[in-house]
Amino acid sequence: MASSMLSLGSTSLLPREINKDKLKLGTSGSNPFLKAKSFSRVTMTVAVKPSRFEGITMAPPDPILGVSEAFKADTNEMKLNLGVGAYRTEELQPYVLNVVKKAENLMLERGDNKEYLPIEGLAAFNKATAELLFGAGHPVIKEQRVATIQGLSGTGSLRLAAALIERYFPGAKVVISSPTWGNHKNIFNDAKVPWSEYRYYDPKTIGLDFEGMIADIKEAPEGSFILLHGCAHNPTGIDPTPEQWVKIADVIQEKNHIPFFDVAYQGFASGSLDEDAASVRLFAERGMEFFVAQSYSKNLGLYAERIGAINVVCSSADAATRVKSQLKRIARPMYSNPPVHGARIVANVVGDATMFSEWKAEMEMMAGRIKTVRQELYDSLVSKDKSGKDWSFILKQIGMFSFTGLNKTQSDNMTNKWHVYMTKDGRISLAGLSLAKCEYLADAIIDSYHNALLYWETPIEL
Amino acid sequence: MDSVFSNVARAPEDPILGVTVAYNNDPSPVKINLGVGAYRTEEGKPLVLDVVRKAEQLLVNDPSRVKEYIPIVGIADFNKLSAKLILGADSPAIKENRVATIQCLSGTGSLRVGAEFLKKHYHQGVIYIPKPTWGNHPKVFNLAGLSVEYFRYYDPATRGLDFKGLLEDLGAAPSGAIVLLHACAHNPTGVDPTSEQWEQIRQLMRSKSLLPFFDSAYQGFASGSLDTDAQSVRTFVADGGECLIAQSYAKNMGLYGERVGALSIVCKSADVASKVESQVKLVVRPMYSSPPIHGASIVATILKSSDMYNNWTIELKEMADRIKSMRQQLFEAIQARGTPGDWSHIIKQIGMFTFTGLNKEQVEFMTKEFHIYMTSDGRISMAGLSSKTVPHLADAMHAAVTRLG
C-alpha cells in the first residue's frame, strides 16, 4: 500500500493538512526522522480515499451454479450431478454434436471472414430459425409477418422482447408459470417489466394444475403477456396435453392476451422438431400476434456459443418491419450486433440436406437417451418401492428435467446422505443421469421420500 | 385485425451501419466505403489475421474442446490476459488483485454492462462524454439509466483538441461524476490529448473525484504499439485510483463479428473487487446469461503463446502502418490538387478515423457525385482507403470544398 500512497501525494488537499498536523506533532521532540515518519502516516490517512464502491455487498451465488460447485468439491465416488442443465452422454461426458464439428470444419476450410453481422444478425440464420419454428412455407413466413432477429440464446432473446414490451406496452404485465426457470424473473425485473404468476405445478398430483392455470390467465388484466414454455417445461417437465393447449389458446384469445413462448427445447423434448413446435403452431393457426424466444443451446448443443432468436408474429408485414426495426434499436446499445460463430453453425447445418438429416438423427438420439433413462428410473423405482406410491409422473414428464416432488428437506437428504446433487425445488436433470446410475438414484429417491423427514430434525420448508 | 403493434413506429436505420447499407445498394464501380470502422487491406478486402486463423485451427481441431456454458464472467484465462494487456504485466493493481475483469460482448457490451453496474451501485448517475463521440455512446448510457452530459473536446477551428474547454467543463462537473475517456484514437475525430495533457486531465479528475470510464477500442491499432496506446489508462491506474475500462478486440485482432471484449473495474482493494465482480454477474445473468466462447478462446490462445503474441504484434503494426500510410497519401494528394485550407489534421490525427472538417452538405455532395460513403459528420475511415482509391477521394474532397466551400 505504501507505494500507491506515495503517488497520491499530488492532490491539492495536502499542503494545509500537513502544516496543521506538523504543528500537532510538536511533542515528538526535535527528531526530524520521527516527525517525518508521523508526517508519512498522516499523509497516508489524508490521501488514501475510500473506494467509491465501498458500500457494495457480496451478491449471493447463483443457486444453480452453486450446485455444480458443491458437486465438484465432493470426493465421494458415488456422487451424481443432477443439477446440470446440459446434456451428458451415458458416460456422463459433455457432448459436441458430430454435425456441429462438421460445420465448424467446413467454416474453417472456407475461410469465412469475421466482419460485423448486421444488428439483426445473420440473414441465413434468421431465415432458417423462423422456418424451423413455423415450418417452411407457413403463411406467417410467406406473408412476411414474422420479425426475426438473432439474439444471445434464449436469455438474450427474452431480454430483447422484454425491452420491447417495456417500451411499447407500458404497464403491461407478463404472467409467468409457478414455478418457472429461475432467470425469467431476473430478466423481467432488469427490463422493468412487472410480472405476476399463474398456477402451474400441482404438488399433490406432481402434475399440471390446469384449472388453476386457466383461472389465473383469465384473471390477468386484458392484454397481458402470458409466458408459455413451448415444450419440456423447465423446471417441472410437465407439459399441457394437446387438448389443454387448445383451451389455453381459447382463454388467451378471449382476454386479448399476448402469448410469449420460450422455446428452449425444440426437437430435444420428443426428438421431433415438428412435434415440439405444435403448441407454437397452434397459436399461429389462430392468427394471433405473439412472441417466441428460441435457443439452440440444447438441441444443437451450442450452449456456450449463445445462439438463439426472438420472433414476433404480427398481423401484417408492415407491422413486422416496424417491430424488427425497433428490436434493432434495442440491440444496438446493448451489444451492437450478435456473435457470428454460432449463427453460422446453425445456418450451415440447416442449410445442407445431409447435415440437417444428421442433426435430426443426433437429436433423436439425445432425446431417446433421456426417454430411456426415464423408463429405467421408473422401472427401478417401481421394483424397489413397496409402498405403492405412484411414480408414473416420471414417464409423463418430458425433456431434460423432472420434478420429483421431493421437498427441500428431502432434497437435502439426497445430497447429504446420497451425494446426489440437485436443486432444492426437487428438480433433477435426466440429462445428467446414466442407465448405470438409475438403481442408485432410485434407492436415494425412495429413502429420501419416505425417511428424510425422520432423519433430519430441522423443520420442513415446503 | 387490429395489431397490438400499431403504435410501433419504424425506426430509422442506424446512421453508421446505414452507410454500409447505402453503399451496398450503389452499383457504381468507383464507390468507396469510408463508413464503418472495419479494417480493409490494400485490395479493399476484409482481413482475418493469420494468427487468428491459426488459433482457430488449433481450437477446432482440439478433440478435448466442448461447448459447455462458460462462467457468467467469461473465460478466466481470457480475463486475466486482457487485464494484463491493458494494464501491463507488472501493474500493481493486478498484483494486488484489485481488478475485476469480466468478459463481455466487445466494446459495446463492456460499456453497457459497466454502465448498468454503475447505475445500480454508484452514487452519481451522470456521465460526461466528449463532444463529439461515437454515435452509440449516448444511447448505451441512456438505456443503462445514466444521464448524459457533454464536455468540450473537438475544436473545429483548429481541427484539434479544445483543451481549455475540456478542463473548464470537467472542472465544472459535479464531484464524483463519471467521465468517459477514449484511451487512444478518439472516435470520430482521431484527436488525442498529449501525454502532458493526459497528466493534467488526471490531476483534475482525481482532485474532483471524477470516475474515469475508459473506452479502449484501438489498443495497438493506433500507434502500432500496444504499450504506447495503453499509456493514458496506465497513468491513471498508477496513481492507485479507481476506474472502469471497456476493452474491445474487434479492431486490433480483427475479431469484429465474434464480439470479444472485457470490462475491467480497478478498485481500491481486493475485497471490493471481489464484491464488485459478484454484482456485475447479476447484471449479466438477466441480459444474456454468459458470454460467447469462440472469440474469447481465440484471444486467450494468442495471448497465452509468446510466439503467437509476437506474430500478432507484427500483424497489428502492419495494419497500423498501412493506415498511417493512407493518411500520408491522402494529405499529399490534397496538397497536390491545391485544395484550399489547412489539411495537416489528416496526418496529425491518429487511428482509424479522420474528422475531415467537411460539413453535411459537402458529404452529401461527395456521396451523390463521387459515390463516397461516409458518415454525415465528416468522418472517414482511413482503413477503407487504398493507394488506388486515394486519388478518387482527393478529387471528391477537392470538388466538395471548392464548389461548396
Side-chain angles (χ1 to χ4, degrees), chain B residues 57 76 122 173 214 232 241 251 264 315 351 353:
Chain B
Q57 222 140 32
Y122 187 61
F214 284 98
S232 59
K251 287 87 174 173
S264 281
E315 288 191 83
F353 301 110

Side-chain angles (χ1 to χ4, degrees), chain A residues 51 114 289 305 322 326 336, chain B residues 3-4 8-9 56 67 242:
Chain A
S51 167
K114 295 190 179 301
E289 293 182 302
E305 302 289 354
R322 289 181 276 114
Q326 294 298 344
S336 277
Chain B
S3 171
V4 300
V8 177
E56 222 176 13
K67 294 199 178 294
E242 296 176 317

Side-chain angles (χ1 to χ4, degrees), chain B residues 302-316:
Chain B
I302 293 170
L303 296 182
K304 247 191 272 205
S305 148
S306 50
D307 273 347
M308 294 184 90
Y309 180 87
N310 288 333
N311 289 335
W312 174 44
T313 60
I314 294 168
E315 288 191 83
L316 188 48

Side-chain angles (χ1 to χ4, degrees), chain A residues 431-452:
Chain A
L433 181 62
S434 59
L435 288 171
K437 296 273 198 166
C438 284
E439 280 200 40
Y440 178 77
L441 180 60
D443 287 336
I445 291 174
I446 291 164
D447 174 60
S448 302
Y449 179 76
H450 291 295
N451 304 324

Side-chain angles (χ1 to χ4, degrees), chain A residues 49 51-52 57 59 88 104 111 114-115 155 159 289 304-306 322 325-326 332-333 335-337 340, chain B residues 3-5 8-9 11 14 40 53 56 67 108 209 242 257-259 268 278-279 288-290 293:
Chain A
K49 294 176 191 155
S51 167
R52 270 63 109 60
T57 55
R88 292 284 175 270
E104 281 189 312
K114 295 190 179 301
E115 294 300 286
T155 307
R159 181 60 179 264
E289 293 182 302
E305 302 289 354
R306 319 311 295 128
R322 289 181 276 114
S325 75
Q326 294 298 344
R332 174 66 162 153
Y335 48 80
S336 277
N337 39 74
V340 66
Chain B
S3 171
V4 300
F5 304 113
V8 177
D14 180 277
R40 291 286 176 268
R53 287 253 182 261
E56 222 176 13
K67 294 199 178 294
T108 309
S209 297
E242 296 176 317
E258 301 288 354
R259 318 311 292 129
K268 274 286 158 70
S278 74
Q279 292 293 348
Y288 51 84
S289 278
S290 55
I293 191 176

Side-chain angles (χ1 to χ4, degrees), chain A residues 364-383:
Chain A
E364 263 183 63
M365 180 274 294
M366 291 192 289
R369 190 182 96 64
I370 290 182
K371 284 188 208 162
T372 306
V373 144
R374 280 187 184 275
Q375 187 66 51
E376 183 71 21
L377 177 62
Y378 171 77
D379 292 342
S380 298
L381 284 164
V382 160
S383 78

